[in-house]
Amino acid sequence: MLLTVLLVGCDDFGDLNVDSNNPSEVRTDLLLTGAERSMSDIIGAVPGNLYVQYMTDTQYDDGVRYSNTEANFNSWYYGPLQDLNTIIEQNTNEETKGDALAGGSNANQIAAARILKVYFFHMMTDRWGAIPYSEALQGRENLAPAYDSQEDIYADLVNELKEAVAGMDGGTGVNGDIIFGGDMDAWALFANSLRARIALRMADANEALAEAEFVDAVNDGLITEDVMYPYLADAANENPWYRRFRTRTDYALADVLGDYMLDLEDHRVLVYANPAPDASNNDGVATFDEIVPMDYDAPNPGDVTNSTISFPGSAVGAGGPNVGMQNAPLPIITISELLFAQAEAVERGWITGVAQDLYLDAIEASWTQWGVFDAANFAAYVAQPEVAYVSADWDQKIGTQKWVALYPNGYEAWAEWRRLDYPELEPHDRALTPDGQIPLRFMYPSTESLVNEASYNAAVSDQGPDVASTHVWWDVD
């Protein structure tokens, strides 16, 4: 009897070697979710916020003094970019594309993956300049990929976005999509908006291509609502600023941004920062006199007591230990940014319209985004000479107000500051960069000069020295 039971029970042994947590078949929906979660590492990053002087260090001032401008880009290649490449391969390969349909139509999955690859590659090339691109993601087939020039990368990025949208087939939307919920129309608008952002970035380096792509993107349709990252009230996917401030208070509102906004009674500062404890009346309603920015150049930041300064606001998830919003969303790309872009495009003669109206609409969209819009307060704000639009000074006006509106998307603000040169930021008094200036790019990881020497040397020879003061291609001034 025992032998019979054992023999019959053998039919169930097959499942013992199946690990439900590590499936043998590729789940493209999970790969898409994982890649989208990596977007948080861009919009929630610290360095850009320090470079454009949104924030400053409260304890150790290495970051705000630009002590380490070398950064490793390898995790982007073997992380989200590889995941997105796998989605494309699974939906292209005749042997796997049938099984991949669980993640949405093959064409739509490929389109979404291509759009996200552009998003990540755009961030990377804006940080480092020339990077491995056309020969990247080949694994063991090419362990020493060549670097593509930023000019070539930019030209291909806009083509990728156009082809991705054109490839959408009207079939089932993508699964595992935490940003757009599988809405392919929203994906198309996002792609067009990224194309407008990329086109404007190269306006001074290749104006003919920039104009053509910007106009085409606008005509194809831009986003109609802010694209925000949807964090959860859960430690597994919480706002990164909330996480940083759970037990530490390493960053405060810098006086460069804070004083500028306070002087103009910009109501956004009331959500950009929390009241300083010593200045607060603790009634739960922030007022201008309760916001106390910290000196960006503080000689001994560790001597500044927490009770005397304002930390980044609860609206962006931060605020101090046990204060803030764990699920506060962060902006990926906003209506405000694109309205500023269109105002600039009018000034450049690319599109028709009234630049001043678009500029004012952009500021209003930012106030609305942060929940502080009030008609009377807004009218008073934009009527001030510092804010009021002057066409002859469009680059200064747009550059400065765009800087305010892009908070806390530090990398995007840093890129636009480098391009427009406004506002006129002064480097930290004790900057640790060799030239004493704000970094203009990140240096390549030191391993590249060892494991990919020929490609690294070729990139440096073409682009310029591998230092933070070397301009990327589109940064012509």
Side-chain angles (χ1 to χ4, degrees):
M1 291 176 61
L2 177 62
L3 179 61
T4 301
V5 169
L6 289 174
L7 290 174
V8 173
C10 287
D11 289 343
D12 297 327
F13 288 174
D15 293 336
L16 293 179
N17 290 324
V18 177
D19 184 352
S20 60
N21 293 319
N22 293 283
S24 57
E25 295 181 0
V26 177
R27 287 277 303 276
T28 54
D29 57 334
L30 297 182
L31 293 177
L32 180 63
T33 303
E36 288 184 336
R37 290 189 64 185
S38 293
M39 299 171 81
S40 176
D41 296 331
I42 300 173
I43 60 174
V46 172
N49 284 281
L50 300 178
Y51 294 172
V52 298
Q53 302 173 17
Y54 286 161
M55 302 178 193
T56 189
D57 287 324
T58 63
Q59 302 294 327
Y60 309 104
D61 59 3
D62 291 351
V64 77
R65 295 172 64 194
Y66 332 124
S67 66
N68 186 9
T69 54
E70 177 188 315
N72 196 330
F73 52 43
N74 290 312
S75 63
W76 297 105
Y77 288 104
Y78 62 69
L81 287 171
Q82 186 57 60
D83 288 347
L84 295 169
N85 219 42
T86 300
I87 292 173
I88 294 171
E89 291 172 350
Q90 291 292 307
N91 282 278
T92 303
N93 190 314
E94 292 297 331
E95 296 182 0
T96 59
K97 61 191 304 184
D99 291 335
L101 288 172
S105 78
N106 297 134
N108 286 341
Q109 289 188 74
I110 292 170
R114 292 176 77 175
I115 293 167
L116 277 187
K117 282 181 67 177
V118 169
Y119 177 79
F120 288 111
F121 272 125
H122 183 224
M123 172 276 300
M124 293 168 65
T125 187
D126 278 358
R127 287 175 64 185
W128 286 276
I131 54 172
Y133 179 73
S134 59
E135 294 185 7
L137 305 174
Q138 297 179 13
R140 292 186 177 87
E141 295 181 10
N142 188 352
L143 297 176
Y147 286 54
D148 293 75
S149 70
Q150 188 175 54
E151 180 177 11
D152 289 344
I153 293 171
Y154 258 64
D156 195 66
L157 292 180
V158 294
N159 285 333
E160 278 290 299
L161 291 170
K162 289 187 292 187
E163 291 180 7
V165 173
M168 295 177 183
D169 66 358
T172 305
V174 291
N175 293 324
D177 175 16
I178 63 174
I179 305 298
F180 301 110
D183 183 341
M184 298 312 297
D185 290 336
W187 273 99
L189 296 179
F190 178 56
N192 298 337
S193 301
L194 288 181
R195 184 150 57 101
R197 173 190 278 180
I198 293 169
L200 190 66
R201 191 68 45 79
M202 59 176 166
D204 295 326
N206 187 340
E207 185 167 10
L209 179 61
E211 178 181 357
E213 294 299 338
F214 188 91
V215 171
D216 193 48
V218 170
N219 289 338
D220 285 348
L222 305 179
I223 57 170
T224 56
E225 58 185 31
D226 298 331
V227 178
M228 309 290 285
Y229 186 96
Y231 293 102
L232 302 177
D234 185 283
N237 189 25
E238 63 186 358
N239 180 294
W241 291 106
Y242 179 91
R243 181 177 65 248
R244 293 182 184 111
F245 277 79
R246 182 186 283 113
T247 58
R248 299 179 62 87
T249 53
D250 290 333
Y251 309 102
L253 178 71
D255 60 349
V256 181
L257 175 66
D259 287 351
Y260 179 84
M261 299 181 75
L262 289 169
D263 288 346
L264 297 170
E265 295 194 352
D266 186 336
H267 285 253
R268 287 170 292 182
V269 76
L270 303 177
V271 294
Y272 283 13
N274 281 341
D278 285 354
S280 175
N281 61 15
N282 298 310
D283 67 353
V285 180
T287 57
F288 292 126
D289 59 344
E290 294 177 325
I291 305 299
V292 184
M294 179 176 166
D295 181 5
Y296 181 75
D297 300 301
N300 296 295
D303 293 342
V304 179
T305 58
N306 286 350
S307 64
T308 63
I309 54 177
S310 290
F311 296 112
S314 59
V316 295
N322 303 314
V323 178
M325 293 174 58
Q326 191 175 20
N327 62 344
L330 290 179
I332 297 171
I333 189 168
T334 65
I335 295 173
S336 175
E337 176 191 338
L338 292 166
L339 287 169
F340 278 123
Q342 291 173 79
E344 180 177 341
V346 170
E347 292 289 3
R348 290 180 177 274
W350 295 357
I351 62 174
T352 59
V354 180
Q356 176 176 292
D357 291 347
L358 290 163
Y359 168 84
L360 294 175
D361 288 346
I363 301 174
E364 181 177 336
S366 179
W367 278 49
T368 301
Q369 173 192 337
W370 292 105
V372 300
F373 180 77
D374 171 88
N377 291 336
F378 180 76
Y381 175 75
V382 298
Q384 298 174 92
E386 176 64 29
V387 182
Y389 193 73
V390 178
S391 181
D393 299 326
W394 69 263
D395 50 352
Q396 184 268 332
K397 294 293 185 178
I398 292 175
T400 301
Q401 285 300 313
K402 195 173 189 180
W403 167 69
V404 176
L406 282 170
Y407 178 92
N409 195 344
Y411 281 143
E412 189 60 27
W414 179 44
E416 284 297 273
W417 170 77
R418 286 178 286 164
R419 183 180 70 86
L420 288 170
D421 298 315
Y422 287 104
E424 297 179 344
L425 302 177
E426 295 295 328
H428 195 285
D429 285 347
R430 294 174 307 287
L432 296 174
T433 45
D435 64 349
Q437 299 299 308
I438 301 170
L440 299 179
R441 61 177 289 272
F442 280 97
M443 296 185 294
Y444 297 119
S446 57
T447 53
E448 282 295 286
S449 63
L450 301 174
V451 301
N452 195 9
E453 183 179 8
S455 297
Y456 168 86
N457 288 338
V460 171
S461 176
D462 179 61
Q463 178 170 268
D466 186 16
V467 294
S469 58
T470 293
H471 291 238
V472 295
W473 166 70
W474 48 254
D475 182 10
V476 300
D477 295 326

